Amino acid sequence: MQEAVFKPFSRATGIGIRIHHHGSNYLPLTEGKAGWNVVDIERAQLTEGCAEGVFEKLDPELMLGKTAPGDFLPGTLHPCGIGSMIWTQAVAYDATLFKERPPHTLADFFNLNDFPGKRGLFAGPEGNLEIALMADGIPPEDVYDILRKPGGVDQALAILDRVRPDAVFWHAGEEPEQLLNDGRVAMTTAYAARFLRPRQGARRPAKLMWANQLWRATYWAIPAGQEQIIDAQRFVSFATDPERLVQLSARLWFGPARKSGFDAIPTNMRDDLPTARRHFHDALQVDAGFWAEFGPKIAPTFRAWRGG
């Protein structure tokens, strides 16, 4: 962010930037203590804060130009936020174990007979229920409809039962690579970008299986009721310009929210990004609204299934 966005913005405008790490907690804004002018935030918190009037309603055409909204990938514009980067969850596997027959689908992840070995899974329900249903042939567009219906969560857990005896649960984003490096799992769900960047100290070669990856976006939002609204709008416009997104992608290996940003990335890197057509065509956007509404009810059920 410093090299790709913050420093170039200050050079271009003369406006200095101070950084506060908020950890997805926007509550200081509601208490009038924050003094933030722009916020980098994920969709669930953005949606909640937008409903509470914490963030300004944004007009992409006014801020970015009339043609800009059509340049953003579906799901990356929000009434209170402009999408910046897309990050994804895929399946990483130990390439030394599956030389002859690598896994290609989520069904392979749940197939311990043909693809033996321990499986790494996130320790919470989000993401696990989605991949379980898609592994069983449910189209991405139908996943949340099923999870909302009575019995939908149990249906997903029954599929997860296939790997439960061999499951190793992870909590933080750096753990999947460590599990693979230590030989503790043969495959694991993981944040894809961590395996696209150079892997310092990697002891085992790992590859990514991209089928039905899960994606989320980060957004720039503007807190409501501030005096520096014009400078904040200038920053958001600058930070979501295609060239800025190219610079971020080159450093983070995330996908840019804008199609023109993706097209401007060098070909030798573009085809490896999570949002490349060959990777993204069957991806599922994680439904933040679903998890905000049903997550608290599902969490105890998932903990019981996991065993604590």
Side-chain angles (χ1 to χ4, degrees), residues 72-193:
F72 282 78
L73 292 175
T76 59
L77 288 179
H78 186 280
C80 289
I82 307 294
S84 173
M85 304 303 295
I86 291 172
W87 52 283
T88 70
Q89 174 189 309
V91 170
Y93 63 91
D94 187 334
T96 63
L97 299 178
F98 304 109
K99 289 181 180 179
E100 302 300 323
R101 186 186 175 191
H104 291 294
T105 69
L106 287 178
D108 295 338
F109 181 83
F110 288 91
N111 182 351
L112 293 174
N113 291 326
D114 295 332
F115 299 91
K118 298 286 186 180
R119 299 296 195 263
L121 290 170
F122 177 55
E126 184 174 324
N128 288 324
L129 303 187
E130 292 95 326
I131 67 168
L133 291 177
M134 289 189 290
D136 220 35
I138 301 301
E141 61 270 20
D142 295 338
V143 164
Y144 289 107
D145 288 339
I146 289 177
L147 289 176
R148 284 183 170 89
K149 294 177 180 177
V153 171
D154 290 338
Q155 180 179 342
L157 291 177
I159 299 162
L160 286 163
D161 280 339
R162 300 172 191 171
V163 296
R164 178 63 189 89
D166 291 277
V168 178
F169 295 99
W170 56 269
H171 296 80
E174 70 275 7
E175 292 179 42
E177 184 175 12
Q178 193 63 51
L179 291 173
L180 285 170
N181 271 344
D182 294 344
R184 294 176 57 198
V185 299
M187 297 187 209
T188 179
T189 56
Y191 300 127

Side-chain angles (χ1 to χ4, degrees), residues 240-264:
T240 56
D241 179 82
E243 177 57 28
R244 293 305 104 209
L245 301 185
V246 168
Q247 294 300 320
L248 276 174
S249 291
R251 290 165 170 80
L252 295 174
W253 289 88
F254 289 1
R258 297 183 74 157
K259 301 167 190 174
S260 57
F262 180 83
D263 292 340

